Amino acid sequence: MQQNPHLPENVVRVSALQGGYSGVRIDVTSFHCVGQVSHKFSHTEETRLSVVLEEIGGQCEPRLRPNRPNPIDHMPRHMHFAPAGLEMWGHTDDVRFVRDATLSFDITKLSDNMATVFSEDVVSAPRLRFADERVWTLVRLLSDALSDTDPSTQLYCDGLTTAIAARLFALPPHSRAEDVTGLAPWRLRRVIDYLDSRLPDRVELGDLAELAGLSSSHFSRAFKASTGMAPYQWQLHARIRQAQAQLLDTDASLDEIAEATGFADAVHFGRTFRKLIGAAPAAWRRELKS
């Protein structure tokens, strides 16, 4: 097998996806390998979290020096955190496939969005290898959503990145979930009117929080306290309600309704409709029109 000269030695193929949400950029990269691999991690100039999502055929490890093994033993679903300016290397002797996610944090933007000042001790302290099941799950969900073109994915991913940052950097005491109350009626109405006016387009969590005059993290919890739904769930339900109206009031095809309400195609629309309503769109239409 011929080696690609632009790849690290023994890495034969790489594929990548990228997205950006609420002060966080995420790069999901898949590596296909055939032997020992040692390479310098990118994004050295940024504060970042690297999470191993899959490792098949062996184990990989983060290192501070290419020839100095990590002193912390391997663990399932491991990750490492590096402050801006810290160089790190990845190493493996025998892994065949690795998929990882690197989250690069804009600390200033995150701090503004979440209305908190992160502890310098936390932000500047490297963690060479650790496990956190909640962070791992949130990062996996975020990674899985990168290729989803559905408009509600923007709010969904904004919420995930805020939750990841909150877990990593810790929210101040006044932002604890048990202290959160719902939005004031005028704030809730302003946000819902905005969501309705933008259907079915993508909407960013930061824009909704700004309308309500709150931080993104506080807004998300207050919105859910008021409505029982996360913002992305509200938007998705609103799009389905819009689709129901078109099913009843027009003779438009399922493809046309899917396009008008922001779904990728009739299959995606039908799957989401069935999940939320409990019936396929065509069957639902027939029953209510009969």
Side-chain angles (χ1 to χ4, degrees):
M1 183 179 293
Q2 187 174 3
Q3 174 73 36
N4 186 326
H6 301 294
L7 296 177
E9 185 177 2
N10 293 330
V11 175
V12 296
R13 189 165 75 253
V14 171
S15 58
L17 289 173
Q18 186 181 90
Y21 312 95
S22 294
V24 180
R25 190 185 73 252
I26 177 170
D27 295 87
V28 177
T29 310
S30 297
F31 300 89
H32 296 259
C33 314
V34 293
Q36 186 181 90
V37 176
S38 183
H39 70 102
K40 186 178 179 180
F41 287 136
S42 56
H43 314 304
T44 298
E45 71 285 359
E46 300 170 325
T47 300
R48 63 219 184 265
L49 173 75
S50 184
V51 179
V52 176
L53 299 171
E54 293 181 79
E55 50 184 353
I56 299 172
Q59 299 174 352
C60 53
E61 64 174 290
R63 293 181 170 185
L64 288 176
R65 296 290 183 270
N67 298 317
R68 185 181 300 172
N70 193 317
I72 302 171
D73 290 340
H74 181 273
M75 61 190 72
R77 298 182 173 183
H78 59 100
M79 59 193 78
H80 72 268
F81 175 77
L86 180 67
E87 294 184 342
M88 295 191 70
W89 281 258
H91 178 88
T92 177
D93 287 327
D94 53 8
V95 75
R96 299 300 302 277
F97 174 79
V98 178
R99 185 167 71 103
D100 65 22
T102 298
L103 280 67
S104 302
F105 300 97
D106 183 332
I107 297 298
T108 300
K109 186 173 182 179
L110 274 174
S111 179
D112 290 342
N113 287 344
M114 298 172 69
T116 188
V117 177
F118 299 125
S119 167
E120 183 63 28
D121 291 339
V122 174
V123 172
S124 63
R127 302 175 67 181
L128 294 187
R129 183 185 263 160
F130 67 102
D132 185 310
E133 188 67 23
R134 185 175 177 185
V135 169
W136 189 92
T137 300
L138 291 169
V139 172
R140 181 183 60 78
L141 291 172
L142 181 62
S143 301
D144 291 346
L146 279 184
S147 57
D148 191 342
T149 59
D150 188 272
S152 295
T153 303
Q154 180 71 46
L155 287 173
Y156 175 64
C157 292
D158 283 346
L160 288 174
T161 54
T162 299
I164 291 166
R167 180 77 173 183
L168 276 180
F169 305 128
L171 291 171
H174 70 266
S175 296
R176 291 176 301 184
E178 60 265 31
D179 298 331
V180 173
T181 57
L183 293 170
W186 68 268
R187 283 191 168 108
L188 183 61
R189 174 48 52 194
R190 173 182 286 182
V191 168
I192 289 175
D193 285 348
Y194 180 78
L195 281 169
D196 288 345
S197 71
R198 294 294 302 274
L199 285 176
D201 297 335
R202 286 178 177 264
V203 175
E204 294 191 10
L205 184 64
D207 292 338
L208 300 181
E210 185 176 353
L211 280 173
L214 301 170
S215 69
S216 295
S217 53
H218 188 186
F219 167 77
S220 293
R221 293 191 297 276
F223 185 91
K224 188 167 186 178
S226 292
T227 65
M229 298 181 186
Y232 84 91
Q233 292 172 318
W234 178 276
Q235 187 191 45
L236 187 58
H237 279 262
R239 289 164 55 207
I240 290 296
R241 290 195 300 271
Q242 188 180 66
Q244 286 176 301
Q246 293 188 35
L247 286 168
L248 288 179
D249 298 337
T250 76
D251 293 322
S253 69
L254 296 187
D255 282 313
E256 291 170 333
I257 293 175
E259 182 178 2
T261 52
F263 293 95
D265 51 37
V267 174
H268 182 204
F269 166 55
R271 185 168 58 245
T272 306
F273 190 96
R274 189 181 300 110
K275 181 179 180 180
L276 297 185
I277 305 301
W284 186 88
R285 174 188 253 172
R286 285 196 302 270
E287 182 176 348
L288 268 73
K289 283 193 168 186
S290 60

